[in-house]
Amino acid sequence: MTQTSYNVRVEYDVSELPPDPIISALHEDLSRYDASIGSSPAGGLTVRLFLDADSPVDAGTRGVEYVQGALLKHEIYPDRMSGYEVLTEEEFDRQQALPLVPELAGMAEVAQITGTTKQRASQLRPALAPYLVQELASGPVYLAEGVRRFADKEYNRTPGVRRTEIPLSPLERALLETLAATSFGTEVPSPGAGHQVAAGAIEGVVGNGHQLHLHAQPDDSDVAVALGSLLEHGLVRTRRIYKKEMKDLDAGHEEDLVVSLTGKGERHSGITAGAAGSAGPEESK
């Protein structure tokens, strides 16, 4: 049978650690196993060995015997052995390479990873509970890797795949489709009255050609309410008009918005980019 290299860690409860000369002697006795000796997180004695064995059970049994024999040789009688751990050398090296503090994520990072707003990200807290590290005064802190797994597998983060359909009203759906069509320079397949209302609020495109200039709407207007819902679902992002963009606009546009679709919004719109060379909307003047 081919043997495998294992790392065996044995821990003991002791009232105090052996003096340095004894530690040095233990190192010498166990040198053939590349031993390391020190204190455990709980203050006990830890001895770690590397040895070749037929199985993890064989490695653990022999490792404990070797350590026990060395301790008895130097008249060290621990209160009790609190336990031992056996890992393949490959797994031991992998764990050693991990950072002492894993990457963490607050609510701003959760919003970024999931492609949502902070408000929407806060609604995901029950689903993210398995990855919670600690609740601070500033908010919850999560394992970033866990949030990524959640985003990839459960939160519509795979391109072309929708895990669940987002419930949108007819106007919200029309606004999303109209924004996507305008951004892509294509047409809505079956426009209706809602699409006409949405199109009437769009002034044109700005920035990189995929950001849309949306005329300011009263807070209680149908378009403003629909846009707020798209924001809540993480389908769009908004910002104010930049000063340099205002130079090319007439007075009365100070409260206008620039809207862009998130990747999630593009997928849920069902609108794809038009054929190359298709004419898009004119740049805002």
Side-chain angles (χ1 to χ4, degrees):
M1 177 181 286
T2 302
Q3 292 194 321
T4 302
S5 180
Y6 292 96
N7 177 270
V8 181
R9 177 177 59 84
V10 189
E11 287 196 2
Y12 297 91
D13 290 337
V14 293
S15 55
E16 60 181 359
L17 294 178
D20 289 344
I22 298 298
I23 295 292
S24 297
L26 289 172
H27 270 119
E28 181 67 25
D29 292 342
L30 298 171
S31 60
R32 63 179 295 188
Y33 305 112
D34 195 17
S36 60
I37 304 170
S39 61
S40 69
L45 176 66
T46 295
V47 182
R48 191 182 291 276
L49 309 176
F50 287 90
L51 53 89
D52 294 334
D54 295 332
S55 68
V57 174
D58 180 35
T61 301
R62 288 168 50 198
V64 171
E65 289 178 353
Y66 297 156
V67 174
Q68 292 274 49
L71 294 178
L72 292 176
K73 176 181 176 181
H74 296 283
E75 299 182 349
I76 300 174
Y77 307 105
D79 298 335
R80 68 186 181 93
M81 186 180 76
S82 54
Y84 70 93
E85 176 187 56
V86 181
L87 299 173
T88 62
E89 186 173 2
E90 181 181 12
E91 174 61 17
F92 173 76
D93 290 340
R94 187 193 69 81
Q95 292 187 14
Q96 289 296 105
L98 295 175
L100 293 178
V101 179
E103 183 184 1
L104 303 176
M107 292 312 301
E109 289 76 19
V110 170
Q112 182 179 19
I113 292 171
T114 56
T116 64
T117 63
K118 288 185 180 179
Q119 179 181 3
R120 173 57 181 156
S122 67
Q123 298 174 1
L124 301 175
R125 291 178 62 168
L128 295 174
Y131 314 114
L132 179 66
V133 175
Q134 190 172 359
E135 285 276 359
L136 302 177
S138 58
V141 177
Y142 300 95
L143 292 172
E145 184 59 31
V147 178
R148 289 193 186 95
R149 287 199 299 270
F150 168 78
D152 290 340
K153 297 181 180 180
E154 302 182 53
Y155 199 62
N156 297 318
R157 296 295 293 172
T158 303
V161 175
R162 299 182 189 177
R163 179 175 177 268
T164 56
E165 185 64 35
I166 295 177
L168 299 176
S169 70
L171 181 57
E172 291 165 359
R173 169 61 59 186
L175 179 59
L176 179 64
E177 292 176 351
T178 304
L179 291 171
T182 306
S183 175
F184 289 140
T186 185
E187 296 181 355
V188 177
S190 302
H195 296 86
Q196 295 176 6
V197 172
I202 299 176
E203 296 280 343
V205 297
V206 295
N208 59 10
H210 295 287
Q211 294 179 319
L212 308 177
H213 176 189
L214 197 70
H215 190 65
Q217 306 289 315
D219 291 342
D220 59 350
S221 69
D222 292 340
V223 172
V225 173
L227 181 63
S229 178
L230 299 185
L231 277 167
E232 181 180 349
H233 288 298
L235 302 176
V236 299
R237 301 186 187 91
T238 63
R239 65 172 174 83
R240 293 293 184 185
I241 294 284
Y242 292 149
K243 287 184 178 180
K244 63 180 181 180
E245 295 168 339
M246 281 298 303
K247 294 179 181 178
D248 299 324
L249 299 175
D250 297 329
H253 290 281
E254 293 79 6
E255 299 300 318
D256 288 2
L257 295 175
V258 173
V259 181
S260 57
L261 270 69
T262 63
K264 179 181 174 184
E266 291 177 0
R267 295 195 298 274
H268 278 269
S269 73
I271 305 294
T272 57
S278 62
E282 295 183 358
E283 192 80 9
S284 286
K285 301 290 186 178

